[in-house]
């Protein structure tokens, strides 16, 4: 238990260091590399929190696809960030501080982490465990919840991902066609 | 006890990799630092698997290693050719 807390502390300190460095660095390639490290760190944090699927998505999307997309963007634009005009830094700072304070206030009356009598363990979970083999006839509880009890939710997620895929294909496909037209002329 | 020693060693190595990514004078230092950090993440996840007693985390560690590899290939291709769409055959240009 102490060891897990030690790992947590180390990883959170890494996140803080990397975030500040990304903010201060002007070379965009370095920023992309640091973002890759950031994603790997938060993926490790998710793994410590026992959320293997979230950590896996974070590593695949954050460290894998995002890095490649950012590099593709840099190869089309440029590597140096334009120097920022310093004005009006107080308002964003105030907004961030207020939002953070609100979030901290919001988590204060959350039930303690991992307690067996938390609502998440007493509300619907027993019904899923006891009834889902008869009601849904799927041996895996998680599959039963995702595919049947929360079927509309999953359908919405699929629609969102499909829309995003169509959007990306429209953007990339159109660009390639235009390039071919130029080379044919 | 041995797990604690391993965890501390891996975390310190991760910290050193971050320092190298921040300081690293050349691009290749930073690339190496990210690659190393990914490897350390794989090791940390294996360690968490041993800590939590869940052998299925090892599969995830393997997939992490592969993602890390693919991302590194993309980064190096970008540096070799300056673009990601290069087919790798016409290097003379």
């Amino acid at each position: 238990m102490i060891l897990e807390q030690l790992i947590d502390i180390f990883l959170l300190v890494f996140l803080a260091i990397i975030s500040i460095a990304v903010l201060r660095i002007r070379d965009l390639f370095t920023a992309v590399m640091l973002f890759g490290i950031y994603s790997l760190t938060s993926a490790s944090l998710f793994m410590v929190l026992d959320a293997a699927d979230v950590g896996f998505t974070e590593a695949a999307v954050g460290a894998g696809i995002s890095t490649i997309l950012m590099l593709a963007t840099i190869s089309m634009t440029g590597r140096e960030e334009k120097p920022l005009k310093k004005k009006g830094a107080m308002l964003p700072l105030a907004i961030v501080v207020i939002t953070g304070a609100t979030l901290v206030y919001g988590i204060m009356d959350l039930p303690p982490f991992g307690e067996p009598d938390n609502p998440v363990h007493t509300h619907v979970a027993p019904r899923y465990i006891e009834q889902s083999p008869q009601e849904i006839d799927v041996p895996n509880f998680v599959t039963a919840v995702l595919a049947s009890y929360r079927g509309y939710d999953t359908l919405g997620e699929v629609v969102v991902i499909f829309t995003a895929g169509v959007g990306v294909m429209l953007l990339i496909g159109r660009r390639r066609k235009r390039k071919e037209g130029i080379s044919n002329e | 006890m041995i797990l604690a020693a391993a965890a501390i060693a891996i975390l310190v190595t991760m910290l050193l990799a971050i320092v190298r990514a921040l300081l690293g004078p050349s691009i290749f230092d930073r690339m190496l630092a990210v690659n190393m950090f990914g490897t350390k993440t794989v090791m940390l996840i294996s360690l968490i698997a041993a800590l939590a007693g869940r052998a299925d985390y090892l599969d995830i560690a393997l997939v992490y290693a592969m993602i890390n590899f693919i991302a590194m290939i993309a980064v190096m291709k970008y540096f070799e050719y300056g673009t990601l769409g290069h087919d790798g055959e016409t290097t003379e240009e």
Side-chain angles (χ1 to χ4, degrees):
Chain A
M1 202 60 213
I2 298 169
L3 191 55
E4 283 187 10
Q5 280 174 0
L6 184 81
I7 294 175
D8 273 350
I9 291 169
F10 258 89
L11 291 177
L12 289 171
V13 169
F14 289 170
L15 285 188
I17 294 174
I18 297 162
S19 318
I20 294 169
V22 165
L23 281 178
R24 300 199 64 83
I25 251 164
R26 293 284 143 225
D27 182 17
L28 289 178
F29 175 76
T30 309
V32 170
M33 291 287 96
L34 288 175
F35 264 127
I37 295 184
Y38 186 94
S39 289
L40 287 169
T41 313
S42 38
S44 318
L45 262 177
F46 290 138
M47 294 296 294
V48 177
L49 285 173
D50 227 2
D53 51 341
V54 184
F56 181 67
T57 312
E58 175 65 40
V61 175
I65 303 295
S66 291
T67 308
I68 296 170
L69 281 181
M70 294 280 189
L71 279 180
T73 313
I74 287 179
S75 75
M76 286 176 188
T77 55
R79 266 191 61 183
E80 280 294 319
E81 187 179 342
K82 278 183 188 161
L84 206 65
K85 284 175 201 148
K86 284 200 174 174
K87 59 169 188 176
M90 289 315 287
L91 180 65
L93 185 67
I95 291 174
V96 167
V97 167
I98 291 172
T99 313
T102 315
L103 289 175
V104 169
Y105 175 73
I107 62 171
M108 273 187 354
D109 52 353
L110 279 183
F113 180 74
E115 288 285 311
D117 53 346
N118 279 350
V120 65
H121 300 306
T122 55
H123 182 47
V124 286
R127 183 191 158 87
Y128 289 154
I129 292 169
E130 286 160 14
Q131 298 293 324
S132 78
Q134 289 88 41
E135 284 184 351
I136 314 294
D137 200 20
V138 174
N140 190 328
F141 299 146
V142 177
T143 311
V145 169
L146 280 181
S148 181
Y149 291 110
R150 297 185 193 162
Y152 284 116
D153 183 40
T154 307
L155 180 67
E157 285 175 16
V158 172
V159 169
V160 167
I161 293 171
F162 176 74
T163 315
V166 168
V168 168
M169 283 177 78
L170 276 175
L171 284 171
I172 295 176
R174 186 179 296 166
R175 183 172 179 83
R176 181 172 295 164
K177 199 174 274 177
R178 194 184 295 157
K179 256 189 185 167
E180 278 171 6
I182 289 169
S183 65
N184 285 341
E185 279 167 6
Chain B
M1 192 62 213
I2 193 94
L3 283 181
I8 290 168
I10 290 172
L11 288 170
V12 169
T13 322
M14 282 170 122
L15 186 64
L16 291 176
I18 288 180
V19 168
R20 183 44 63 199
L22 290 179
L23 295 180
S26 78
I27 293 155
F28 304 104
D29 289 319
R30 300 187 204 278
M31 275 162 56
L32 192 61
V34 174
N35 196 4
M36 171 127 163
F37 197 88
T39 315
K40 294 305 145 202
T41 310
V42 172
M43 292 175 71
L44 188 68
I45 290 168
S46 315
L47 197 86
I48 293 169
L51 269 178
R54 294 183 58 166
D56 51 332
Y57 278 15
L58 290 177
D59 297 341
I60 293 166
L62 276 177
V63 179
Y64 269 48
M66 280 189 256
I67 288 170
N68 195 23
F69 176 71
I70 292 170
M72 268 304 122
I73 291 286
V75 172
M76 287 191 277
K77 189 173 177 186
Y78 164 72
F79 261 95
E80 185 70 22
Y81 303 117
T83 171
L84 286 174
H86 197 278
D87 55 7
E89 287 176 1
T90 49
T91 43
E92 285 84 11
E93 287 179 46

